[in-house]
Amino acid sequence: MIELSCDLGEAEDPVGRAVERELWTLIDAANVACGGHAGDKESMRAAARLSSDRGIILGAHPSYPDRENFGRRSLQMDPRELRRVLI
């Protein structure tokens, strides 16, 4: 058996969100952007609802709070601040 996983919750425009909605119909698991590099509270809530409704495994895709570089740049942060941002 092969499990198909996808990073989702990163689209910022209607076209991208429409593509992501279609991807939900094809996958077994989703790693959802958690607001650092993309996404927000509402996109995370929507992802949780979709995964629950469709029986899709839901994972988190956290990152540094660095939207400009899509969370790919390592940031020096106090561990307590990083924890607060991730929560």
Side-chain angles (χ1 to χ4, degrees):
M1 180 172 156
I2 296 174
E3 180 181 280
L4 184 58
S5 175
C6 186
D7 287 351
L8 293 170
E10 299 178 349
E12 295 184 355
D13 60 56
V15 172
R17 285 189 287 276
V19 169
E20 284 195 353
R21 277 192 299 278
E22 291 299 315
L23 288 171
W24 281 98
T25 68
L26 304 171
I27 62 174
D28 302 297
N31 298 306
V32 176
C34 293
H37 65 290
D40 55 28
K41 287 181 182 181
E42 186 49 42
S43 66
M44 290 183 278
R45 285 186 186 109
R49 284 190 298 272
L50 279 167
S51 69
S52 178
D53 291 347
R54 297 178 183 271
I56 294 171
I57 299 164
L58 183 63
H61 183 188
S63 69
Y64 290 110
D66 176 33
R67 288 184 182 255
E68 182 178 319
N69 296 296
F70 211 62
R72 292 188 173 105
R73 183 174 53 112
S74 181
L75 300 178
Q76 296 300 316
M77 297 180 71
D78 178 83
R80 291 173 297 218
E81 178 64 11
L82 180 58
R83 177 180 163 81
R84 186 193 68 73
V85 168
L86 292 174
I87 289 172

